[in-house]
Amino acid sequence: MRTEDARPVRLKDYRPPDWLVETVELDVSLDPVATRVRAKLKLTPNPRAGAPAPVVLDGDELNLLALAIDGEPLTAERYTVTPDNLTIPQPPQRPFLLHIETVVDPSANTQLIGIYRSGNTYCTQCEAEGFRRITYFPDRPDVMAVYTTRIEADKTEAPVLLANGNLTASGDLADGRHFAVWHDPYPKPSYLFALVGGNLSSVDDRFVTLSGREVALRIYVEPGKEGRCAYAMDSLKRAMRWDEEVFGREYDLDLFMIVTVADFNMGAMENKGLNIFNDKYVLAGTETATDADFAHIEAIIAHEYFHNWTGNRITCRDWFQLCLKEGLTVFRDQEFSSDQRSRPVKRIADVRLLRAQQFTEDAGPLAHPVRPAVYNEINNFYTATVYEKGAEVVRMLNVLLGRQGFRRGMDLYFARHDGRAATVEDFIQCFADANERDLTQFMHWYSQAGTPEVTVTAAYDAKARALRLDVAQAVPPTPGQASKEPMVIPFVIGLIGRDGHDLPLVRDDGAEVERGVLVLTKPAERFTFSGIGQPPVLSLNRAFSAPVKVVANQSSADLRFLAARDSDPFNRWQAVQTLATSLLIDNVAALRGKRELRHDEGLIAALAAILADPALEPAFIGQALTMPGEADIARDIGHDVDPDAIFVARCELREAISERLHPALHDTYRRMSSREPYRPDAASAGRRALKNVCLDLLAATAESSAIALALHQYETADNMTDRMAALATLSLHERPERAEAIEDFYRRFETDPLVVDKWFSLQAMIPEPGTLARVRSLTAHPAFSFTNPNRLRALIGAFAHANQSQFNRADGAGHAFVADTVLALDQKNPQVAARLLSAFKSWRMLEATRRAHAEAALKRVAAREGLSRDVNDIVSRSLGA
Ligand code: PHE
Ligand code: ZN
């Protein structure tokens, strides 16, 4: 294991590699405990590097068996080797073949990086630095090589043998073994290498590209699960078509394979031609997967597929450029889902996620720029900032340049950098060149951490028929960045007249504001609009055009007007959220000061109007009725946070909505119920979402008829969405029905791991003091597993990340429990342990008692000797100034 002593890696220290690898020939003989890897690397001095250099290859827990140059075994004095490095101080200064033989133990690989076993299947995970756990190699993404992979294995244990590219040979060997040879003609970095061996079944389909090439599509699963791949396969074909139509990108091999495994650290991996997926993001059936699961599958299948162009054909020069592939690919998958589903509802869901995860990260000790300048452990930078804010930055280019200008930039990027390892500068330069724009200032989005705050003050002058907007921006300090430069913020606005129509946006110099985009570039600036015959209502940051926090102090009347009338659906939703947030913040303060709670008739009226608006999509109404989450309220409060008070204030608001809107909620529940057979499409999912939001609100008062309704829905549901939603509603009420339903659910689904995960999560998220004891005892449940990441995340991850009041218990027991788990897990799977530890990312905001408990827990983790680099990095940044 790589332990804490590693030195930080800095972007400014980047140097091109001394040696390139033209071809890699791998010969892998699979064995449960001693897998033998013979690698033949064609090494070439890099013409871009300077003086003659030694060959220094990366390794991690490797055992070297043999080493030769051009067929000549290397004598011991000509190299040095450790499990982490292989150095040849005086290699021939010309192209040569290096033969390396190593052996690894897949069964002992609990980190799930390199070659490991998931059940009986052999599989690999190489991003970011896992290939070095297979053989010694310059394991960095700017070394791109052509790979040929020969795999051999016992034929009964692993009848299916897969690697990247195309199958070029296969056959039987002596002793019941067999082999397959795969060749990938596209040069790629080592992190995109993959191989799989196992007893797998495949579901097969085909896709004909726009230019008429036929591509075979195969999803490999454990035998018996073939019936659960249909939605994933359909999503894949839609994604392939969409990338052709929207970005002009065709698939480039004759075969595209997906393999699903039960043990996986992340969601999925875009290995060239051989994506490896966490079961969770492929397998789905009506009775086992929720609408949210179907939507995730569609998005992640598309995401990994889209990486073929944004990540694989054009890859990253170094890991600082991670957002180059991830932010861009998330943007692409968001756009795909928007086109497949409802654009406004998708935008609302994406912004909810961005705020919950990225804004929170940006507001705490783990804040970092979209492109970090330094890291200790790259695995800790697969974050909401790199992914979600990275996508927002790409989206802002789209807003700034318009759709066509954006497409011109993308086309140039594909033309200029195909087959290469690129940087963020390369990417941005394409948009600048294709549109003759200077994007220098825009680069701050990549280098400055923190969520910008945009403050808007309006003044209307009736005599001059003019509106003056004073707009200020500020980026708060973040670790290592005390002061910031102003950003380029594409701020889309509308001025709405009393009749609900947008007024023309004409600046006082006569220029019309194109597409409503005000481009903010200064700490403070003034915009004056003329020809405004009435005081307008301001619709700000429409469609969330920039990932900023807007401060505008709009009146409750204006917010209600926006909720009812704004032509921008996002801002209708936002207006409701803003009303609710300010009420919740006031009431948290009231609870802590033992004062009377405030009621907001305006908010209730706005919700009633939305519920009654027949023009609105059900999914949108469901989003409007969903109040801000506890973590969001905490972040908006910002300091001295008491999660119990937040929980109570939120419950009170939900009860008030329930009481005041009871008939409408009930009526909507009925109208949204359907007798049609289940279909996972967006419109049906939207109706179910609204129905289930209504159910949950109806039950918020714990009224017995609503509980009975939930129980009835639980018992009679013909799909997982409705069953799970009913169970979640029941889980919030400490009554005998709850225990029975929880038991019943387990009995029904105990043979289905993905559903058992839901069962663990649901219990971990119950916001009651008894939950910690429940979670502890569930760790002793026969179905619990410490080594399966999904299971671990389902129980302890859900407790730490999704149960604010119980993780942050006032007695510190929640913090202590999670810290203990992190310490125990770190021995086995540091990557998953570090991610769990990041649940402490908001600890500094807590009120003093809880903050002290969190600090003590973190210090206890920090004090442990032999911590992994992963956990050591998170804990030291969490505790850092
Ligand atoms: N590159 C993967 C994705 O975003 C994520 C991943 C990272 C998977 C590291 C495994 C390991 O699509
Ligand atoms: Zn990705």
Side-chain angles (χ1 to χ4, degrees):
M1 195 170 67
R2 302 187 301 191
T3 45
E4 50 200 272
D5 46 309
R7 252 173 287 132
V9 184
R10 291 177 202 283
L11 171 58
K12 67 172 172 47
D13 295 340
Y14 173 83
R15 282 197 321 124
D18 292 323
W19 290 85
L20 300 178
V21 183
E22 272 172 25
T23 57
V24 180
E25 283 175 48
L26 285 177
D27 183 349
V28 181
S29 178
L30 293 175
D31 177 273
V33 295
T35 287
R36 198 243 318 116
V37 180
R38 290 200 184 105
K40 201 196 293 177
L41 316 181
K42 183 166 180 211
L43 289 168
T44 315
N46 185 358
R48 286 183 57 208
V55 169
V56 182
L57 304 180
D58 304 300
D60 183 12
E61 293 190 316
L62 288 177
N63 292 308
L64 183 69
L65 298 184
L67 191 61
I69 286 183
D70 292 330
E72 284 277 315
L74 236 61
T75 46
E77 72 283 0
R78 290 193 55 200
Y79 66 91
T80 57
V81 69
T82 68
D84 301 338
N85 270 118
L86 172 61
T87 305
I88 305 170
Q90 289 177 317
Q93 293 299 319
R94 54 165 171 81
F96 67 90
L97 280 179
L98 182 65
H99 298 245
I100 308 166
E101 188 171 335
T102 48
V103 63
V104 295
D105 178 352
S107 301
N109 185 351
T110 58
Q111 290 184 40
L112 314 186
I113 304 172
I115 299 190
Y116 69 94
R117 302 196 90 188
S118 177
N120 290 322
T121 303
Y122 295 91
C123 63
T124 56
Q125 173 52 47
C126 294
E127 188 176 2
E129 298 178 332
F131 192 71
R132 63 185 65 182
R133 293 170 57 79
I134 299 175
T135 188
Y136 290 103
F137 199 77
D139 195 12
R140 46 188 285 171
D142 55 354
V143 174
M144 296 172 83
V146 170
Y147 285 68
T148 307
T149 308
R150 181 182 178 280
I151 316 167
E152 65 164 84
D154 184 276
K155 198 171 179 176
T156 41
E157 188 189 42
V160 173
L161 299 174
L162 311 172
N164 316 86
N166 303 309
L167 181 68
T168 57
S170 63
D172 289 336
L173 299 165
D175 304 331
R177 290 180 77 79
H178 73 144
F179 75 96
V181 180
W182 291 81
H183 177 72
D184 177 5
Y186 292 93
K188 64 167 174 288
S190 50
Y191 81 87
L192 291 173
F193 170 80
L195 71 76
V196 169
N199 179 14
L200 301 167
S201 302
S202 77
V203 173
D204 299 9
D205 208 327
R206 60 194 276 275
F207 179 85
V208 179
T209 68
L210 222 50
S211 66
R213 272 189 325 100
E214 178 162 333
V215 180
L217 309 178
R218 273 185 221 139
I219 302 183
Y220 287 91
V221 293
E222 251 173 52
K225 296 188 174 158
E226 301 85 343
R228 297 220 198 153
C229 305
Y231 192 76
M233 185 66 92
D234 183 58
S235 303
L236 173 61
K237 289 189 285 184
R238 285 185 281 121
M240 293 177 86
R241 188 62 76 213
W242 185 90
D243 212 14
E244 295 179 341
E245 287 169 354
V246 178
F247 282 94
R249 298 297 113 195
E250 273 193 26
Y251 187 61
D252 52 6
L253 287 164
D254 302 330
L255 174 61
F256 184 79
M257 297 177 281
I258 290 173
V259 176
T260 84
V261 294
D263 302 275
F264 202 71
N265 284 346
M266 307 280 270
M269 179 63 211
E270 69 262 25
N271 317 300
K272 182 80 187 188
L274 178 58
N275 289 359
I276 297 183
F277 268 67
N278 188 324
D279 276 348
K280 190 174 157 69
Y281 296 118
V282 173
L283 304 177
T286 302
E287 266 147 52
T288 58
T290 61
D291 290 329
D293 293 328
F294 281 99
H296 281 135
I297 289 169
E298 179 180 80
I300 295 175
I301 291 272
H303 179 98
E304 305 311 329
Y305 173 73
F306 296 155
H307 267 315
N308 191 53
W309 275 95
T310 50
N312 301 5
R313 288 187 65 137
I314 306 181
T315 195
C316 303
R317 187 193 71 175
D318 54 72
W319 291 118
F320 295 101
Q321 321 296 327
L322 184 56
C323 64
L324 178 69
K325 74 178 178 79
E326 296 305 346
L328 176 55
T329 305
V330 170
F331 170 75
R332 276 151 54 70
D333 85 54
Q334 289 175 345
E335 286 297 291
F336 168 70
S337 294
S338 302
D339 285 347
Q340 303 288 308
R341 292 165 179 258
S342 153
R343 181 166 287 269
V345 172
K346 174 66 177 158
R347 189 67 185 134
I348 290 167
D350 288 342
V351 173
R352 268 194 198 278
L353 182 87
L354 178 81
R355 286 183 174 143
Q357 299 190 359
Q358 200 281 324
F359 278 27
T360 307
E361 183 168 80
D362 238 354
L366 298 181
H368 58 273
V370 169
R371 181 172 63 180
V374 54
Y375 61 76
N376 290 305
E377 171 51 62
I378 188 58
N379 281 331
N380 289 337
F381 284 85
Y382 289 79
T383 58
T385 296
V386 169
Y387 276 67
E388 314 304 326
K389 188 174 180 180
E392 293 299 320
V393 175
V394 176
R395 184 174 297 281
M396 284 189 284
L397 286 173
N398 196 26
V399 177
L400 280 172
L401 305 172
R403 244 181 50 167
Q404 284 167 5
F406 180 77
R407 175 69 197 262
R408 276 196 297 277
M410 286 299 300
D411 286 347
L412 184 57
Y413 178 61
F414 291 126
R416 206 180 258 179
H417 297 288
D418 187 15
R420 295 193 210 290
T423 61
V424 168
E425 281 78 4
D426 294 334
F427 176 67
I428 295 299
Q429 196 58 48
C430 292
F431 292 89
D433 291 352
N435 295 281
E436 294 177 12
R437 286 276 282 256
D438 180 355
L439 293 172
T440 316
Q441 191 187 353
F442 189 80
M443 288 300 293
H444 292 322
W445 280 108
Y446 288 101
S447 57
Q448 296 192 150
T451 306
E453 207 169 275
V454 174
T455 307
V456 181
T457 322
Y460 179 66
D461 181 341
K463 233 179 35 235
R465 295 167 58 86
L467 180 81
R468 208 180 65 210
L469 285 189
D470 284 305
V471 186
Q473 57 159 300
V475 187
T478 47
Q481 296 186 331
S483 70
K484 317 267 170 132
E485 298 296 316
M487 304 281 225
V488 181
I489 299 176
F491 198 61
V492 176
I493 67 159
L495 304 179
I496 312 175
R498 265 186 294 275
D499 63 357
H501 288 110
D502 279 12
L503 306 171
L505 270 179
V506 181
R507 303 275 296 264
D508 52 355
D509 61 3
E512 201 176 321
V513 179
E514 242 184 283
R515 293 173 289 118
V517 191
L518 298 185
V519 182
L520 314 180
T521 57
K522 303 192 187 82
E525 47 209 310
R526 173 168 292 179
F527 300 88
T528 310
F529 303 98
S530 54
I532 311 284
Q534 49 175 308
V537 176
L538 268 52
S539 177
L540 301 171
N541 206 28
R542 280 186 159 169
F544 205 68
S545 58
V548 299
K549 186 172 173 192
V550 178
V551 182
N553 288 320
Q554 286 175 290
S555 70
S556 167
D558 279 4
L559 290 167
R560 263 150 50 209
F561 179 86
L562 291 169
R565 305 299 291 273
D566 200 328
S567 61
D568 179 53
F570 180 87
N571 271 359
R572 289 186 73 174
W573 169 82
Q574 180 61 58
V576 173
Q577 298 294 308
T578 306
L579 282 168
T581 301
S582 73
L583 176 68
L584 287 163
I585 292 176
D586 288 354
N587 284 348
V588 168
L591 281 164
R592 297 190 70 195
K594 308 231 165 8
R595 279 177 277 120
E596 189 121 342
L597 299 193
R598 172 160 84 80
H599 290 275
D600 186 349
E601 288 308 318
L603 171 59
I604 302 285
L607 291 174
I610 284 176
L611 254 173
D613 188 339
L616 289 171
E617 295 176 80
F620 176 89
I621 303 175
Q623 287 284 1
L625 288 169
T626 305
M627 293 300 103
E630 290 160 51
D632 295 294
I633 304 165
R635 192 189 56 249
D636 282 333
I637 294 174
H639 60 94
D640 193 25
V641 163
D642 174 353
D644 288 332
I646 291 175
F647 174 73
V648 173
R650 194 171 181 276
C651 286
E652 296 278 344
L653 174 56
R654 282 160 42 79
E655 279 175 45
I657 296 170
S658 184
E659 278 161 12
R660 300 299 313 280
L661 300 181
H662 193 280
L665 291 170
H666 212 270
D667 176 59
T668 309
Y669 179 84
R670 290 263 165 261
R671 281 188 299 111
M672 293 299 128
S673 301
S674 153
R675 293 186 190 288
E676 303 276 295
Y678 176 87
R679 290 201 312 143
D681 65 284
S684 338
R687 284 191 293 276
R688 278 186 293 274
L690 175 54
K691 175 182 73 176
N692 288 321
V693 169
C694 290
L695 176 68
D696 198 46
L697 284 171
L698 285 168
T701 54
E703 190 217 339
S704 7
S705 70
I707 303 288
L709 190 61
L711 195 59
H712 178 74
Q713 177 172 318
Y714 171 78
E715 282 163 354
T716 57
D718 68 350
N719 65 80
M720 183 52 85
T721 305
D722 286 340
R723 196 185 305 277
M724 196 68 207
L727 188 61
T729 292
L730 288 171
S731 79
L732 300 179
H733 303 278
E734 206 176 342
R735 304 166 58 124
E737 294 94 322
R738 169 169 86 185
E740 284 159 30
I742 288 177
E743 254 195 69
D744 174 82
F745 190 86
Y746 186 73
R747 260 184 276 113
R748 276 177 202 258
F749 298 107
E750 61 183 318
T751 59
D752 192 315
L754 295 176
V755 186
V756 172
D757 288 341
K758 295 182 193 303
W759 181 78
F760 277 109
S761 287
L762 179 114
Q763 297 180 76
M765 293 189 305
I766 296 175
E768 284 171 14
T771 294
L772 177 58
R774 184 194 283 264
V775 170
R776 270 189 208 286
S777 75
L778 282 170
T779 60
H781 190 282
F784 183 70
S785 159
F786 218 69
T787 51
N788 174 254
N790 284 358
R791 191 58 47 92
L792 198 280
R793 285 185 287 245
L795 184 64
I796 301 171
F799 176 76
H801 289 283
N803 194 337
Q804 290 302 301
S805 63
Q806 301 315 305
F807 169 57
N808 296 305
R809 283 164 61 113
D811 65 2
H815 294 146
F817 171 70
V818 173
D820 289 339
T821 308
V822 167
L823 286 171
L825 184 60
D826 195 35
Q827 309 296 311
K828 294 196 160 72
N829 190 329
Q831 201 181 338
V832 174
R835 208 160 264 263
L836 179 61
L837 186 62
S838 72
F840 284 92
K841 63 179 171 292
S842 301
W843 74 274
R844 282 183 187 280
M845 272 182 209
L846 295 167
E847 53 77 27
T849 310
R850 289 174 173 85
R851 190 167 65 233
H853 287 306
E855 186 168 18
L858 286 167
K859 287 195 162 147
R860 195 154 57 77
V861 172
R864 178 66 60 92
E865 266 180 50
L867 280 182
S868 69
R869 197 151 95 196
D870 309 59
V871 165
N872 188 59
D873 171 50
I874 296 285
V875 79
S876 35
R877 283 193 284 138
S878 298
L879 285 168

